[in-house]
Amino acid sequence: MLTFVGLGLYDEESITIEGRGAVREADRAFAEFYTSHLVGADVDDLESYHGVDIEVRDREGVEQNPEPILDAAESDDVVFLTAGDTMISTTHVDLRLRAHDRGIDTRVIHAPTAESAASSLTGLQNYRFGKATTLPFEWVHGADGVPASVTDTIEDNRERGLHTLCYLDIKVGETPPSNRTAGRLGDKVDNPYREGDDYMTASHAAGLLAEHWNPDALGVVVARAGAPDSLVEADTLESLADRDFGDPLHLLVIPGDLHHVEADALTGLAGAPEDVVDERTV
Amino acid sequence: MLTFVGLGLYDEESITIEGRGAVREADRAFAEFYTSHLVGADVDDLESYHGVDIEVRDREGVEQNPEPILDAAESDDVVFLTAGDTMISTTHVDLRLRAHDRGIDTRVIHAPTAESAASSLTGLQNYRFGKATTLPFEWVHGADGVPASVTDTIEDNRERGLHTLCYLDIKVGETPPSNRTAGRLGDKVDNPYREGDDYMTASHAAGLLAEHWNPDALGVVVARAGAPDSLVEADTLESLADRDFGDPLHLLVIPGDLHHVEADALTGLAGAPEDVVDERTV
């Protein structure tokens, strides 16, 4: 049996009771933290909390060489741990399909996701979000601006009155090109969870969209969704670009039309200026 | 302090460890189950699991007369419990804003949602979903078919290659009109969680869309997301309309374009016929 268990958004206590039960009862526990990871707990914390050894696999150990995990799941109860909910990445679906092809039973134990937390924390209603998008680092797509796919998604959603959740780029253990400018190095967080990782900040993202799309558009920053010190701030992109929202992870929401309670939430809970919110309220 | 705690998707073990801690430490615990509820646990189960008394409020007790909850939160640590994640309904955002206006600190503890579970269980990627929609009972909107807003949402999403999550109508404790037809009464579940509640089944939903939209379109049923006996089945809407997916809650996903791994997941894990899936694979 191969049970996929979501660890949730922040630390060892972000898992569900059901998930913890599955981890504790498992014969072997595998995990991957290259698609996403917890910022409030490392592997040692998880091992000591659950009283199990956790075998962490890198991308190659999941995607190219998954046989040891599948071999174990053929005879034993095996859990496969990921941050957030499970199956968020194609990688996990692929692993589940391989297990299925070998006749291994699989099971999924859910956990909170950044996507639903962004909706909860901002007061923006979940059924009023359109397609999500990811804003990449400039050095990744090789241009100075914002890829058209990102602004097209935002514009398409706004035409239909819908909000857009922008995931911000994370590069795990990758070294950016040496010609990376000083301004871009400013995104490097002071106290990263892991040395060498690189998280795009919401202020950097707001700056990119302000410069290459619309400086006056309303944006909503969600920092550290699921953590005790989570933060939500709403203002024009131009204004958000100048602020510091602290440690990662950050998300940026570009609202479409706002219903009355959504508008009240952004002014009341996220400090949005009333004139900026009024423009988008229907 | 007013802490909004999500109970998750199924029973008393669907809450996170962090959420359980907040419930156990609270001076008073309120809950509402009219916007959504757990199918695997009732209030007695929750009270005995957490060792607290839970004061359940109906719609009026949350929306018209929230003062007792807010009065308690002014001096004590109060938790407010909801199924799924918190803040899913405007009602909860409104309560949080009222607390904020009275200077009461608020906090949000997240939980899994049906929305992210639907993505995890089907293998359909979460960033490829467009706007969600809700399919109402015919007797609610007073017509025989499907409201144009529902099919418009599905069509809009499909034009952009995106999947549509259809929530299915739930009527809590409401009596349908006496002229309701026998066919519609067939939706009544045999073993409902609460007498008088009425859940639209996925087969009923697939039948409505097959008759009034497109019988040959691919649909994916998710039954009991988050429960141990969750089930996922994919086929044409016409075919899904003839099946029985068991106890509620049910969801119905109408896929847009399918990526290769998504197509494999629907055939491998959800039993979709290859020719139906091939038509939508890009």
Side-chain angles (χ1 to χ4, degrees):
Chain A
M1 164 79 97
L2 181 56
T3 303
F4 292 85
V5 182
L7 293 171
L9 290 172
Y10 178 62
D11 69 4
E12 64 273 23
E13 298 204 340
S14 306
I15 195 172
T16 63
I17 310 281
E18 184 192 10
R20 188 185 61 171
V23 178
R24 292 198 166 167
E25 285 160 23
D27 300 307
R28 285 178 74 180
F30 295 90
E32 69 79 8
F33 295 112
Y34 65 86
T35 62
S36 177
H37 62 268
L38 302 178
V39 292
D42 60 20
V43 176
D44 288 345
D45 295 331
L46 291 168
E47 287 187 325
S48 108
Y49 183 77
H50 291 292
V52 297
D53 286 329
I54 297 175
E55 305 172 50
V56 179
R57 291 291 189 258
D58 60 10
R59 187 182 293 273
E60 197 198 332
V62 177
E63 297 174 14
Q64 306 304 320
N65 185 29
E67 280 71 27
I69 300 171
L70 297 170
D71 291 344
E74 208 144 56
S75 49
D76 289 334
D77 276 339
V78 169
V79 291
F80 186 82
L81 311 174
T82 55
D85 194 16
T86 63
M87 301 286 145
I88 287 300
S89 168
T90 305
T91 293
H92 312 139
V93 181
D94 186 66
L95 184 61
R96 192 174 178 208
L97 283 167
R98 286 170 191 260
H100 188 260
D101 286 345
R102 286 178 55 167
I104 299 165
D105 283 339
T106 61
R107 186 175 154 220
V108 173
I109 299 182
H110 301 286
T113 59
E115 194 178 12
S116 46
S119 163
S120 280
L121 291 169
T122 56
L124 298 173
Q125 294 297 290
N126 68 329
Y127 68 93
R128 295 174 32 78
F129 277 76
K131 181 187 186 329
T133 187
T134 299
L135 197 55
F137 282 118
E138 301 93 305
W139 56 267
V140 174
H141 63 95
D144 258 347
V146 174
S149 62
V150 173
T151 47
D152 286 352
T153 297
I154 294 171
E155 295 275 9
D156 271 4
N157 284 334
R158 295 227 305 184
E159 272 166 32
R160 299 162 77 201
L162 303 175
H163 316 315
T164 307
L165 174 60
C166 302
Y167 293 99
L168 307 183
D169 206 357
I170 303 175
K171 287 298 157 201
V172 174
E174 288 179 39
T175 311
S178 56
N179 65 354
R180 216 171 150 213
T181 70
R184 290 167 191 168
L185 278 171
D187 298 322
K188 195 83 181 183
V189 294
D190 290 334
N191 182 22
Y193 174 67
R194 289 191 298 195
E195 206 65 44
D197 291 358
D198 208 355
Y199 306 87
M200 186 186 289
T201 64
S203 47
H204 184 84
L208 281 176
L209 287 170
E211 186 181 345
H212 299 284
W213 178 59
N214 180 353
D216 302 319
L218 175 63
V220 187
V221 170
V222 181
R224 297 174 299 285
D229 65 341
S230 67
L231 168 159
V232 177
E233 288 189 27
D235 207 326
T236 61
L237 290 171
E238 192 169 39
S239 165
L240 294 172
D242 288 332
R243 301 189 202 168
D244 179 1
F245 303 105
D247 288 339
L249 303 175
H250 297 178
L251 301 165
L252 181 65
V253 179
I254 309 296
D257 296 336
L258 297 172
H259 284 175
H260 181 63
V261 173
E262 293 180 314
D264 288 350
L266 293 187
T267 49
L269 302 171
E274 287 200 14
D275 57 328
V276 179
V277 163
D278 283 350
E279 273 177 33
R280 301 218 62 82
T281 306
V282 292
Chain B
M1 163 80 97
L2 181 56
T3 303
F4 293 85
V5 182
L7 293 171
L9 291 173
Y10 178 62
D11 69 3
E12 64 274 23
E13 299 204 338
S14 305
I15 195 172
T16 63
I17 309 280
E18 184 192 8
R20 188 185 62 171
V23 178
R24 292 197 166 170
E25 286 160 23
D27 299 307
R28 285 177 75 180
F30 295 89
E32 69 80 7
F33 295 111
Y34 65 86
T35 63
S36 177
H37 63 267
L38 302 178
V39 291
D42 61 19
V43 176
D44 288 344
D45 295 331
L46 290 168
E47 287 186 325
S48 108
Y49 184 77
H50 291 291
V52 297
D53 286 328
I54 296 175
E55 304 172 50
V56 179
R57 291 293 189 259
D58 60 10
R59 187 181 292 274
E60 197 198 332
V62 177
E63 296 173 15
Q64 306 304 321
N65 185 28
E67 280 71 27
I69 301 171
L70 298 169
D71 290 345
E74 208 145 56
S75 49
D76 289 333
D77 277 338
V78 169
V79 289
F80 187 82
L81 310 176
T82 56
D85 195 17
T86 63
M87 303 285 146
I88 287 298
S89 168
T90 306
T91 293
H92 312 139
V93 181
D94 186 66
L95 184 61
R96 192 174 178 208
L97 283 167
R98 287 171 190 261
H100 188 260
D101 286 346
R102 285 177 57 166
I104 298 165
D105 283 337
T106 62
R107 187 175 153 220
V108 173
I109 298 182
H110 302 286
T113 58
E115 193 179 14
S116 46
S119 163
S120 279
L121 291 170
T122 58
L124 298 172
Q125 295 296 291
N126 69 329
Y127 69 94
R128 295 173 34 77
F129 279 77
K131 181 186 186 329
T133 187
T134 299
L135 198 55
F137 282 119
E138 301 93 306
W139 55 268
V140 173
H141 63 93
D144 258 347
V146 174
S149 62
V150 173
T151 47
D152 286 351
T153 297
I154 294 172
E155 295 276 9
D156 271 4
N157 284 334
R158 295 228 306 184
E159 273 166 33
R160 300 161 77 201
L162 302 176
H163 315 315
T164 307
L165 174 61
C166 302
Y167 294 100
L168 306 184
D169 206 357
I170 303 174
K171 288 297 156 201
V172 175
E174 288 179 39
T175 311
S178 56
N179 64 354
R180 214 172 152 211
T181 70
R184 289 168 191 168
L185 279 170
D187 299 322
K188 195 87 181 182
V189 293
D190 291 333
N191 182 20
Y193 174 65
R194 289 190 298 196
E195 206 65 43
D197 290 359
D198 207 356
Y199 305 87
M200 186 186 290
T201 64
S203 47
H204 184 85
L208 281 176
L209 287 170
E211 185 181 345
H212 299 285
W213 178 60
N214 180 354
D216 302 319
L218 175 63
V220 188
V221 170
V222 181
R224 297 173 299 285
D229 64 341
S230 66
L231 168 158
V232 177
E233 287 188 28
D235 207 326
T236 61
L237 290 171
E238 193 168 38
S239 165
L240 294 172
D242 289 332
R243 300 191 203 168
D244 179 2
F245 304 105
D247 288 340
L249 303 176
H250 298 179
L251 301 166
L252 181 65
V253 179
I254 309 297
D257 296 335
L258 296 172
H259 283 176
H260 181 63
V261 173
E262 292 180 314
D264 289 349
L266 293 186
T267 49
L269 303 171
E274 287 201 14
D275 58 327
V276 179
V277 162
D278 283 351
E279 272 177 34
R280 300 219 61 82
T281 306
V282 293

